[in-house]
Amino acid sequence: THSHAQRESKDMEIRAGPHIVALLPDRNGQWGGTCGSTLWCASQALVEWLSATAQEALLQDIVRGRSVLELGAGLGLLGMFLGKAGAQRVALTDMPQQLPLLERNVKANFTSSGGCAICVAALEWGVPNEAMLAQEWQMVVAADVVYDEEHMDGLARTLNDLLHSPTSQSSLPRALLALPDRTEFSHEREGHAVPDYELLWELLATVSDGALKASRLASISSEEAGTCDSRIDVWLVSHQSRKKKRAREAASPRGAGNER
């Protein structure tokens, strides 16, 4: 039962700048969740990177006063941190079996009165969700969501749908993702293995008809991130005009630099 799970597990506290996020992990599977029931390094690495003084302007630009949706939220660390950091509204989404633990963690961090309006919702990648798509999401965030090649097409389609959800033209939706540079998909370019997330960018370019681009903002070393052998790359996905896309393709060979 859930009460038994609470006796077996203890909350951990993640400190990020002035904010503290309390998390109950599900190490023994008693909450019936998914692989998101443990804390993954990319989520904590992104939170710590965003909370650094050097990222103050970025955090204010992408989060404060904005509506945020997290994909594959797991324990909810990233989305809850953004809620504490000034987001106006946050939706933590994951598979239905993950929601009870997510809801429990939200209750441990937020009260019903004042502050960020935060909710938990089921969202399966690649399956149209009219309730989510009908709302305005100014930022979509995710951490370590590139782990299964079979899910990449659905993830690309969901990202594309959310980044084309209703919003003002002066503030087109964007996405911030923290992705390990693993090479487990056997995905190659010109005979060389490339990070698994390159498959996501290729699929996203296809489903968006070139309307979206991914730009690498930073790389967090494996030592900083606490991972064994993978650095964490931080990417910003945003809209671009067709004219800019053609100019960029003409100026740069495919796969060069920090843009995709």
Side-chain angles (χ1 to χ4, degrees):
T1 66
H2 289 183
S3 60
H4 178 62
Q6 286 177 291
R7 290 197 300 269
E8 290 295 317
S9 300
K10 293 183 178 180
D11 280 19
M12 60 173 69
E13 287 190 347
I14 305 298
R15 296 178 181 270
H19 308 293
I20 299 176
V21 180
L23 298 174
L24 177 70
D26 186 21
R27 298 183 181 91
N28 301 319
Q30 291 157 313
W31 283 77
T34 67
C35 61
S37 295
T38 58
L39 181 60
W40 291 77
C41 293
S43 179
Q44 186 169 356
L46 179 57
V47 164
E48 292 175 352
W49 182 78
L50 283 171
S51 64
T53 303
Q55 311 309 328
E56 178 72 20
L58 175 66
L59 188 62
Q60 182 166 343
D61 174 48
I62 66 175
V63 173
R64 290 183 183 150
R66 299 190 183 278
S67 55
V68 178
L69 182 145
E70 182 178 6
L71 293 171
L75 296 178
L77 171 61
L78 177 56
M80 290 192 294
F81 163 74
L82 297 178
K84 289 174 180 280
Q88 183 179 55
R89 182 166 59 94
V90 173
L92 306 175
T93 70
D94 212 308
M95 298 296 287
Q97 61 266 39
Q98 188 65 24
L99 302 191
L101 185 55
L102 261 178
E103 290 172 347
R104 186 270 175 204
N105 282 336
V106 167
K107 289 178 182 177
N109 287 276
F110 294 87
T111 62
S112 57
S113 59
C116 176
I118 189 164
C119 70
V120 169
L123 180 60
E124 184 177 352
W125 301 341
V127 178
N129 186 312
E130 296 304 324
M132 290 290 106
L133 295 178
Q135 301 179 57
E136 175 184 353
W137 302 110
Q138 295 165 306
M139 284 299 306
V140 178
V141 298
D144 207 349
V145 289
V146 177
Y147 56 86
D148 188 334
E149 191 168 359
E150 292 184 358
H151 295 162
M152 289 306 93
D153 183 73
L155 176 57
R157 293 181 184 280
T158 294
L159 261 177
N160 181 62
D161 289 345
L162 289 169
L163 295 181
H164 287 90
S165 65
T167 188
S168 65
Q169 289 301 307
S170 61
S171 178
L172 289 171
R174 294 173 290 173
L176 186 72
L177 295 90
L179 305 173
D181 68 335
R182 291 188 293 256
T183 55
E184 298 177 359
F185 292 174
S186 301
H187 192 53
E188 295 186 354
R189 182 177 296 139
E190 298 178 355
H192 299 285
V194 296
D196 297 341
Y197 55 60
E198 292 290 354
L199 176 60
L200 175 61
W201 304 146
E202 291 178 11
L203 291 168
L204 188 60
T206 299
V207 298
S208 72
D209 194 23
L212 298 170
K213 68 173 182 178
S215 303
R216 183 161 43 201
L217 298 183
S219 291
I220 305 169
S221 70
S222 58
E223 291 79 14
E224 292 175 296
T227 55
C228 295
D229 54 7
S230 299
R231 71 170 189 266
I232 307 296
D233 289 334
V234 182
W235 293 85
L236 183 69
V237 180
S238 57
H239 290 256
Q240 67 174 343
S241 69
R242 296 294 181 84
K243 183 177 179 180
K244 286 184 178 180
K245 176 178 180 291
R246 288 194 297 268
R248 182 170 63 85
E249 289 179 342
S252 303
R254 182 170 175 81
N258 287 328
E259 289 195 354
R260 300 294 184 270

